[in-house]
Amino acid sequence: MTGSDEHVGRARERLTALLVEASTGALGAAGAHVAGVYLRSGTPGMLRLATLVGLPGQLFRPWWRLHVDRPFPVADAYRLGTRVVLPNASEMVRRYPQFAAGLPFQFGSVYTPVPGAEPSFGVLTVLLPGTADTVDELPDLDRLCRAAERLGAGLRELVAEEGDAAVAWEGEPVCVRPPAARQGPARVGRFTWDPVTSAVHADDRLHALLGRAPAEFPGTGAELAVAVTPADADDVLTALHETAAGKPPSAPLRVRSADGAPLLLELWPPPGAENPSLVSGIVVDPGPSAPADGAADLLPEGVFCLDRSGIVRYANPAAVRLAGRPRAELLGRPLWEAMPWLSGPPYDDHWRGALLARGPVHFQVRRGGAAEGDFLALSVHPGSDLVTCTVVPASRIDPPVHLSPTAGPGALGRSGGSSMTPLYRPIALAIALTDAVTARQVSAVVMQELLPAFGGRRLAIYLLQDRHFYLAWETGFPPGFLAPFDGVGLDAHIPGVETLTTGRPLFFESMRRLADTYPGLALDAEVGSRAFLPLIASGRPVGTCILGFESERSFSTEERTVLMALAGLIAHAMEKARRYDSEAALARGLQQALLPRRLSEHPQVETAGRYLPGTQGMDVGGDWYDVVGAGDGLALVIGDVQGHGVQAAATMGQLRSAVRAFALSDRPPDEVLSGTNRLLIDLDPGQFASCCYLRLDPATGRARIARAGHPPPLLRAPDGRTRVLEVPGGVVLGVDPRARYPVTGLELAPDAILALYTDGLVERPGADIDDGIAALGAALAEAGAAPGRRGARTLTGVADRLTAMARHATDRPDDVALLLATRRPGAADRG
């Protein structure tokens, strides 16, 4: 092992210790029963669950990875940098319906950003038992904030020493048991072991736990194993070597110390290197065992207990007999390994309901390997430390595929074969698709919902147009691989075409089967499996969805049914998106026709305008700007009609025409706005508009300006100093027929730059608009030397620079309009 590997291992150990301490501390701070930390990862826009306390990691697998753009509370807390508080399930359903669809249980939750660099390091999350009517009824949330701040301070220190990569989480979360409520915190000792040199480094707490002075502590892995558990030293040493090779134990090892006391040994795998590297571990003294062990042995019904990480800690003889496995094969194993027939849909939802809502749950299950019709009745009673389960034989009943009060929406029964978890994804996908309006947004939702839910790594969506297939979306495929298939006709003998022409899905459990069925077809990988789904809406062919899996797998009956249901949802969403795209194209065409193709010119005035449509909704709105000849001067105008779409664009066109008519007759600014206001009220489109109108005398630079609910102009002096013009204004147009619009005079010096803009350029979610205006003013001040001088930026270059950030933003909720004007020196100025 190199020194670099050891260094990375120690950094990972420090990071894990910080996260575990913060998560367990959050439980006590909030009175919660589940806590965890999401950290940013090496994948842009992806958060990963790094630690989880109080809930088996297997049950939380669908939420191990979250994209920052998902409509989930964790994503909002991270992206916006604000705490999200959901005191009860009703509030969760109201604000985050997709999240509620996946966890339909009665619990509250709090999501606190972990402060650090911009954006934050991640999010500290706690799930609270029961419900509260208001935020005020929740535990002291300030303690959670302080816990997040302490974690942030530790992570900042780690970044300062190791770099940003040290706090980027990859892989599965570290799942730990919460401290026992019936005793003080468990004693924990930490150590690291080098598999190359066999050197062991232990902390003082491990010395104390084992009753050894530091000088007496063994220095090798073999001596450590004997010191921890003389009777099971070989098992410990084997676990150390397997962990170094990347195969850690699936559960903590239960061993006995020299005096017979129970101990738990947990090991962390290497930090990602293929070669053996530093192994980290902890030895835990859990304290007394469950008090019910002895008494429950005598009960006729089966009783077994799990800790809150899902490990089987106790099973009485009756439970062992009903489970059909030796007791040694049950204890110390995760539930889904000890009794696999108790996991998977819909049973995972029952366990989630018990552990999250803390209410008793009762359901029936067919015993694994038992004869047809041999069912067991289970009752699950969660506690703060242990989950106690009773199990008895049940009479002949129907298979338990119905929904219980704690089962997730769409939970299905099991029929053998592999399982795609969770099978309630049609509900979550349907909710997500309601907010997607364009074909690109639909494709993005499918990628975010479908791939994580079903374990796929590759996705392609083709849409049918004029009897040819065109690629609408792809992710995960080798660069350029799908290009030859773009534009193929309906007569092509390829699976993506034939699944749509026949209306039947095609499933290939291996790439070999795909190659045998379609000889000569180019393959993107040597191993894996593929699913080709026809997208058909109301009997009309829409396109094809292709899912790619990196390993070979089978597709059960339930899985095929769910995938076809998802394909139907996708097809209807794509059909709706097509209609929307057509309407959007019409609106964009209308808007482009209404915006000025060129601005009125004057020999002493230079102007530059920019317009950017929003990236949400119809992508078009009511922002406009114009420059109109007004007598011997110029009129500069900018406005913003409320809303988006065809109606907003049409109203904008009417207002622009009215303002131009008033300007051409050289009416004063207050009369222009008053007349336009009355016109908008008479038209009664159900919309209002803001506007800023300025009449400029190019020869003298004197100007008169009036505002109607519009952001104030900015003025950059020739020396670069920039200020907000304090221009009194009236109410927006279209509200009050008696509204008055005061006029303010100002002087535009030669080479000064006047900036008129709409709020889309300065508004940001969660931020004050005054901060946005100040930021725009700073950008204008830095835009370069005054136009017209040697080496200066052109006015068009300044306009491009001021709109560059908005132009490249993927999430632009509103339109952006900008109008700049500057005067060239004239005879009056020289005189």
Side-chain angles (χ1 to χ4, degrees):
M1 183 182 66
T2 65
S4 175
D5 290 334
E6 181 175 353
H7 187 77
V8 171
R10 292 189 184 280
R12 178 58 174 256
E13 182 186 3
R14 286 180 58 191
L15 174 61
T16 302
L18 286 171
L19 297 174
V20 171
E21 180 180 0
S23 300
T24 54
L27 291 179
H33 55 213
V34 178
V37 177
Y38 281 89
L39 286 183
R40 61 195 186 200
S41 69
T43 303
M46 187 67 67
L47 299 177
R48 286 185 178 271
L49 183 64
T51 54
L52 182 65
V53 180
L55 190 70
Q58 185 74 8
L59 293 182
F60 216 69
R61 181 179 288 273
W63 299 274
W64 281 6
R65 299 188 308 165
L66 290 177
H67 197 277
V68 297
D69 291 332
R70 293 283 296 278
F72 275 26
V74 171
D76 278 0
Y78 176 81
R79 190 178 64 256
L80 302 178
T82 59
R83 185 174 62 196
V84 176
V85 181
L86 305 175
N88 51 52
S90 298
E91 185 70 5
M92 180 169 63
V93 170
R94 184 183 71 82
R95 295 176 59 185
Y96 298 97
Q98 280 184 257
F99 186 55
L103 292 170
F105 313 113
Q106 297 295 320
F107 67 94
S109 52
V110 182
Y111 309 85
T112 305
V114 178
E118 293 294 337
S120 58
F121 286 121
V123 178
L124 176 62
T125 302
V126 295
L127 309 183
L128 305 164
T131 59
D133 292 333
T134 65
V135 173
D136 294 336
E137 297 179 17
L138 293 175
D140 185 1
L141 300 182
D142 289 339
R143 294 182 63 189
L144 276 180
C145 288
R146 290 194 292 270
E149 289 169 357
R150 287 194 298 270
L151 175 58
L155 296 181
R156 286 194 297 273
E157 182 179 336
L158 187 58
V159 167
E161 297 176 10
E162 308 293 344
D164 288 339
V167 296
W169 192 267
E170 304 293 344
E172 299 184 357
V174 173
C175 301
V176 297
R177 294 181 301 124
R182 61 179 179 274
Q183 60 183 32
R187 294 192 297 161
V188 178
R190 300 183 181 277
F191 67 89
T192 57
W193 174 67
D194 186 335
V196 176
T197 65
S198 196
V200 173
H201 299 278
D203 66 4
D204 292 339
R205 287 177 291 182
L206 184 58
H207 297 152
L209 191 152
L210 298 179
R212 302 287 188 92
E216 300 174 352
F217 192 79
T220 67
E223 293 170 332
L224 171 69
V226 172
V228 172
T229 174
D232 301 311
D234 290 342
D235 293 340
V236 171
L237 195 58
T238 298
L240 286 170
H241 284 285
E242 289 181 347
T243 303
K247 300 177 181 179
S250 58
L253 295 179
R254 301 188 66 183
V255 296
R256 294 282 177 178
S257 66
D259 58 5
L263 296 175
L264 296 177
L265 175 67
E266 295 192 42
L267 302 174
W268 280 272
E274 295 183 1
N275 296 325
S277 57
L278 201 67
V279 172
S280 301
I282 60 174
V283 178
V284 182
D285 176 7
S289 59
D293 287 13
D297 282 347
L298 305 177
L299 295 177
E301 64 266 23
V303 178
F304 63 95
C305 297
L306 317 172
D307 64 23
R308 293 190 68 86
S309 64
I311 306 299
V312 179
R313 297 302 181 192
Y314 167 75
N316 72 353
V320 171
R321 184 171 61 255
L322 290 173
R325 300 186 68 175
R327 186 168 183 167
E329 295 183 8
L330 299 177
L331 301 184
R333 292 179 179 271
L335 174 68
W336 44 90
E337 291 182 9
M339 292 175 270
W341 37 275
L342 273 177
S343 64
Y347 310 119
D348 283 353
D349 279 311
H350 294 307
W351 295 112
R352 275 190 282 260
L355 291 169
L356 290 176
R358 278 197 173 179
V361 175
H362 312 281
F363 59 98
Q364 292 81 35
V365 60
R366 186 157 64 98
R367 183 169 53 183
E372 178 68 26
D374 190 0
F375 289 92
L376 302 176
L378 264 74
S379 294
V380 181
H381 302 270
S384 58
D385 300 329
L386 293 175
V387 179
T388 302
C389 309
T390 62
V391 54
V392 296
S395 58
R396 171 76 186 190
I397 60 174
D398 292 331
V401 299
H402 64 282
L403 296 181
S404 76
T406 61
L412 301 176
R414 306 175 72 199
S415 65
S418 58
S419 174
M420 285 184 173
T421 303
L423 293 184
Y424 53 72
R425 274 301 180 191
I427 295 291
L429 183 63
I431 295 173
L433 287 175
T434 60
D435 295 328
V437 292
T438 68
R440 182 174 182 82
Q441 290 171 346
V442 170
S443 300
V445 167
V446 174
M447 180 193 72
Q448 293 174 359
E449 288 292 337
L450 208 62
L451 293 188
F454 296 104
R457 294 295 181 88
R458 302 183 183 187
L459 169 72
I461 295 180
Y462 284 89
L463 297 181
L464 182 65
Q465 183 178 353
D466 298 330
R467 298 183 60 82
H468 288 78
F469 280 80
Y470 296 95
L471 185 63
W473 185 276
E474 68 162 307
T475 183
F477 285 89
F481 173 78
L482 296 177
F485 302 102
D486 198 16
V488 299
L490 287 177
D491 56 347
H493 180 59
I494 56 177
V497 171
E498 294 193 357
T499 188
L500 185 61
T501 56
T502 63
R504 293 183 293 103
L506 301 175
F507 297 96
F508 298 94
E509 299 178 355
S510 68
M511 301 303 287
R512 179 181 54 80
R513 290 194 58 184
L514 177 59
D516 291 343
T517 306
Y518 293 91
L521 178 69
L523 302 180
D524 57 297
E526 296 181 358
V527 297
S529 53
R530 297 290 181 267
F532 297 83
L533 308 175
L535 302 181
I536 300 174
S538 303
R540 295 187 299 274
V542 175
T544 295
C545 178
I546 304 173
L547 288 178
F549 305 88
E550 291 190 341
S551 59
E552 296 184 0
R553 54 157 298 129
S554 59
F555 298 90
S556 68
T557 302
E558 285 108 339
E559 293 164 355
R560 297 179 186 224
T561 301
V562 168
L563 284 173
M564 281 303 295
L566 294 174
L569 292 175
I570 297 168
H572 280 281
M574 280 294 184
E575 186 75 358
K576 181 185 70 174
R578 278 183 166 180
R579 293 194 298 269
Y580 184 92
D581 288 340
S582 298
E583 294 175 4
L586 173 63
R588 282 192 293 269
L590 173 62
Q591 187 180 50
Q592 291 299 321
L594 294 174
L595 287 173
R597 293 181 179 274
R598 63 182 182 85
L599 301 177
S600 296
E601 298 178 353
H602 191 282
Q604 288 183 254
V605 178
E606 180 183 356
T607 58
R610 294 291 182 269
Y611 171 78
L612 300 173
T615 59
Q616 299 178 1
M618 190 67 78
D619 286 350
V620 292
D623 290 20
W624 91 95
Y625 61 86
D626 208 348
V627 178
V628 187
D632 57 356
L634 283 179
L636 309 177
V637 59
I638 194 164
D640 182 2
V641 177
Q642 169 215 13
H644 297 82
V646 176
Q647 181 61 50
T651 301
M652 176 268 284
Q654 292 172 312
L655 294 186
R656 175 175 176 263
S657 297
V659 172
R660 285 186 66 88
F662 287 127
L664 289 171
S665 61
D666 202 12
R667 304 278 290 275
D670 56 334
E671 293 186 19
V672 173
L673 293 186
S674 296
T676 307
N677 176 51
R678 289 191 294 271
L679 172 65
L680 184 57
I681 292 174
D682 290 341
L683 291 174
D684 192 22
Q687 295 170 303
F688 57 83
S690 67
C691 186
C692 184
Y693 183 92
L694 180 144
R695 201 278 188 189
L696 173 67
D697 183 346
T700 64
R702 286 192 289 272
R704 303 178 70 210
I705 185 170
R707 287 195 305 135
H710 203 81
L714 293 170
L715 182 63
R716 180 187 187 277
D719 61 4
R721 289 179 298 172
T722 303
R723 61 188 176 95
V724 178
L725 296 179
E726 299 297 336
V727 179
V731 299
V732 293
L733 306 176
V735 174
D736 181 5
R738 296 179 298 276
R740 295 292 179 264
Y741 301 96
V743 176
T744 302
L746 63 94
E747 185 168 333
L748 185 64
D751 294 332
I753 300 177
L754 177 72
L756 307 178
Y757 53 92
T758 58
D759 55 9
L761 189 59
V762 292
E763 278 190 329
R764 297 293 180 270
D768 193 292
I769 189 172
D770 289 339
D771 295 336
I773 294 174
L776 179 62
L780 179 60
E782 297 172 359
R789 294 181 178 175
R790 184 174 182 180
R793 293 180 182 272
T794 64
L795 196 64
T796 56
V798 174
D800 288 337
R801 186 172 182 181
L802 295 183
T803 56
M805 182 177 296
R807 185 181 303 109
H808 294 100
T810 58
D811 184 13
R812 191 168 57 242
D814 200 1
D815 301 33
V816 169
L818 174 70
L819 178 62
L820 301 180
T822 187
R823 282 182 63 229
R824 302 183 180 97
D829 300 299
R830 291 189 291 269

